[in-house]
Amino acid sequence: MVATENYVGSPVLRKEDAKLLTGQGSYVDNQSMAGMVWMTLVRPPHVHATIDSIDASAAASMPGVVAVYTAADLEDAFPSSLPMVWPITEDIKIPTHWPLTKDKIRFAGDAVAVVVAETREQAEDAAEAVTVRATELPVVNDLEEAAKDEVVLHEDLGTNVVVHWSHGGGGDQSVFDSAPVILQERYTQPRLIPNAIEARGCLAYGIPAAGEFTLVSATQIPHIARVGLSIATGIPQSKLRIIAPDVGGGFGSKLNVYAEEALALALARKTGRPVKWIETRQENYLATIHGRGVLHDCTLAGTDDGDILGMKFVELADMGAYFQLLTPGIPELGGWVYMGPYDTKAYWYEFRGIMTNATPTDAYRGAGRPEATFVIERLVDAYARKIGMDPAEVRRKNFLPPSEEAFGSIMGLNIDSANYEPTFDRALELAEYDQLRKEQQARRDRGDVKQIGIGLSSYIEMCGLAPSEILGALRYVAGGWDAAEIECRPDGKVVVRTGTSPHGQGHETSWSQIVADGLGVTPDDVEVLHGDTSVSRLGMDTYGSRSASVGAEAVARALEKVRDKARTIAAHELEVSEDDLEWAEGAFRVQGAPDKARTIPELAASAWHAHALPKDMEPMLEGTAVFDPPNFTWPGGTHVCVVEVDTETGKTDILKYVAVDDCGNVINPMLVEGQVHGGVAQGVAEALYEEAIYDESGNLTTSSMTQYLVPTAVEIPTITQDRTVTPSTTNSLGVKGIGEAGTIASPPAVVNAVIDAVSHLGVNHIEKPASPERVWRAIKDAQGGAA
């Protein structure tokens, strides 16, 4: 049957949801194997200590225990330490990171041994019986204190300041001394703990005699993990298969190669039995990466009438106790967007990466760009207050000019396309900005207890990590390409193998829409396979809002190869020139004789039985493409948050939230809206609730959901969304990333709104999260320190 409907641009319902909503999803913890054993890691209650001895004798004799291993026992299991793939400078100091620490405990999640037992409960009980004697060392978690090197985590490195990356200056740097207005601010962004619904977990099994192993893991990056785990364990890539089954959220926390994955593989090889590990929520808080954890000193140079002349940012970034896969590169990702969507004439950014006795940091939804956007947008609001201008007018006055083509920016990279003012105007229109300002003034005039605040956030982000040539110049080990294979089967169905690995994004639906339009079939005729390195041979996986602009473009290019071959077969069968064919109503038709036609399913059958193909043509109708983009994509937008703050209690309620984004052409508007909705919810959490807190001894006091405040649906406002469209110039689809936009834009919008609500009381600064206590104290401090 020929499908003539166009699916791209339509809100096609998610193909993925039926099995998930009916409880038929397959996650790691659903999987079990005959002869399987469980693995539990021994994580002693120390933050920084020298290991004196480990006594596993009691644990080893407990019921069901197969073995207990320390680092010394697994000396031969790991020919290399855990991978870090982004040594961003030539002189970076890289700490060695083994799956089990050998000499010192450097943070509260550092594991010293692993127990293997017949059941999970037996493994957990035995882990508690492992006795670790250790000599406590001083702890350092404050960034500025750690930078003094009075306590050094890795003695062989000689310092905690392991990397200094400077973007350097763009434009006339003298404006930071000579401008009429010089504004200097310091902003602290606390660590955040990713809270995917599904914690991490893995199951390793194989045939040791053949040297072949499989790891089923809740990972975002099966292809990259195969490379990293091959290096760490010595298992050749050709004999290592990584499967990412259904994955219950990632947000960057599963964009990594973790110690537990390497251990499971090593123990499956050592014991000859399948080895399973499922993370507890407390382990998730201690041993899965954290995000953010940065301190910025910021300078804005401007005029008295609102022209931004320059922005300068000097950052300290908390690396934690070790590097994970991308740790030192995360601040650098923000380093290319510190100008925001503004036409600033001067620019400076640099950061220092500092080791601390805390959980390693790495990519967390947005990865460097939320940190950058937060300080830019806070700074612009502070500037507006200082010169007495409306923050909306300051933004409007400084936007980069529109361009449908790629253009150079002051930070040194090309922006693919841009048009920020229509997005901004639409956001203000939906928020009813002018009316809100009048209401705000009326409440202030009346001296109401509850005051309203309006927060703006205009952002630009850099997505689709690519091209590979630039990534090489930035010293990133991997490339930025992705791949797709399309196979048209003789029964009319189409199989797509994609190198991206979705974990909630909806690739199966979006990719099916693209293929359906291109081949004249329906999305239900298309099956999208992913997340298995033995099924999708080539791929760079899913992170950094890259899947649509890189992975979907690879699908589109493979599609063109299929269509080219199909056209040739159709012309051969219809006995006309290829130039006489046109694609119309889901088939190749002879111009002027539209009844003479061949559909893709018909041509797929011809290519399969191969009875009468053109001379020298290979059978089968299929196409493969590997796409390396010529540039990043650069989405943008404006979000407006309206809050009501109780000036007597500090409590904040969000009254209205408007998000207007420009992610280029849209494949499925429902999926875009869902991504923005989830991102805004995460950003609201960052702005008002979430904060990882360590005490002076280095213990994580927010170690469970009873202390770490994750908002529920009740706390998340209704979100009004709209879009403008400025197609990307980096791909034929014209798409840009959208997966992280909400998380990037919303924290400054919310915090700016809270400060705006009480700025008439003298409040100019509130740290994130803007909890009721912080807001209340800020009001009292502004009124003379009565708190």
Side-chain angles (χ1 to χ4, degrees), residues 18 38 63 77 137 162 198 201 288 389 422 497 533 564 601 610 628 675 701 743 745 753:
W38 284 80
L137 298 169
V162 289
E198 180 199 23
T288 293
M389 280 184 69
R497 298 178 181 83
T533 57
D564 287 346
D628 195 355
Q675 287 280 12
T701 60
T743 315

Side-chain angles (χ1 to χ4, degrees), residues 11 76 128 487 497 516:
D76 297 334
E128 292 183 2
E487 175 189 352
R497 298 178 181 83

Side-chain angles (χ1 to χ4, degrees), residues 14 44 58 72 78 80 140 144 180-181 245 304 350 407 469 641 654 660 700 721:
R14 282 168 46 98
F78 302 109
S80 179
V140 60
E144 292 178 299
V181 178
D304 292 319
E350 64 179 297
F407 61 97
E469 183 180 6
C641 180
I654 297 178
V660 181
L700 182 65
Q721 295 191 44

Side-chain angles (χ1 to χ4, degrees), residues 425-705:
D425 289 342
R426 180 60 175 153
L428 266 56
E429 178 187 358
L430 288 172
E432 301 179 295
Y433 186 76
D434 293 338
Q435 183 59 36
L436 285 169
R437 284 296 179 200
K438 291 176 183 175
E439 182 183 348
Q440 181 186 58
Q441 189 58 52
R443 290 201 190 193
R444 288 179 176 182
D445 291 343
R446 292 194 302 266
D448 287 1
V449 170
K450 292 187 175 182
Q451 293 288 330
I452 67 167
I454 308 138
L456 306 177
S457 172
S458 295
Y459 73 96
I460 183 173
E461 58 163 319
M462 180 184 71
C463 299
L465 202 59
S468 300
E469 183 180 6
I470 289 183
L471 297 184
L474 298 176
R475 300 176 60 81
Y476 181 62
V477 171
W481 52 267
D482 221 299
E485 299 175 78
I486 296 177
E487 175 189 352
C488 298
R489 292 186 166 163
D491 61 357
K493 304 299 183 185
V494 182
V495 174
V496 177
R497 298 178 181 83
T498 175
T500 60
S501 187
H503 38 282
Q505 291 86 350
H507 294 183
E508 292 180 29
T509 305
S510 300
W511 287 201
S512 294
Q513 291 177 254
I514 295 168
V515 171
D517 277 2
L519 298 183
V521 296
T522 72
D524 288 340
D525 291 322
V526 183
E527 182 181 12
V528 179
L529 304 178
H530 55 80
D532 185 334
T533 57
S534 289
V535 173
S536 300
R537 297 180 301 114
L538 304 172
M540 281 293 181
D541 307 317
T542 293
Y543 53 87
S545 301
R546 68 185 299 274
S547 291
S549 60
V550 188
E553 176 65 14
V555 171
R557 293 186 176 224
L559 187 62
E560 285 306 308
K561 293 183 178 179
V562 170
R563 283 169 56 104
D564 287 346
K565 185 170 183 178
R567 175 189 287 270
T568 301
I569 301 172
H572 177 72
E573 293 187 351
L574 295 168
E575 298 180 331
V576 298
S577 164
E578 290 185 40
D579 293 337
D580 293 332
L581 294 177
E582 63 179 356
W583 179 261
E585 297 183 351
F588 285 112
R589 300 179 186 276
V590 177
Q591 297 183 55
D595 291 342
K596 296 182 65 177
R598 289 290 187 275
T599 66
I600 293 295
E602 290 170 342
L603 297 167
S606 297
W608 175 75
H609 60 60
H611 293 167
L613 290 176
K615 182 176 173 52
D616 297 330
M617 177 177 278
E618 295 179 356
M620 296 303 294
L621 184 57
E622 55 189 6
T624 298
V626 181
F627 175 60
D628 195 355
N631 192 3
F632 302 89
T633 66
W634 300 81
T638 291
H639 288 203
V640 182
C641 180
V642 183
V643 301
E644 184 176 69
V645 175
D646 187 319
T647 59
E648 292 184 346
T649 67
K651 184 176 184 296
T652 296
D653 292 310
I654 297 178
L655 303 180
K656 181 184 291 186
Y657 195 99
V658 173
V660 181
D661 301 280
D662 186 346
C663 60
N665 292 332
V666 170
I667 300 169
N668 186 321
M670 185 180 66
L671 296 182
V672 168
E673 289 166 8
Q675 287 280 12
V676 172
H677 191 108
V680 169
Q682 226 158 350
V684 167
E686 178 175 339
L688 296 179
Y689 303 101
E690 296 187 13
E691 177 181 22
I693 300 173
Y694 287 88
D695 64 18
E696 291 182 353
S697 300
N699 296 301
L700 182 65
T701 60
T702 51
S703 58
S704 74
M705 287 186 180

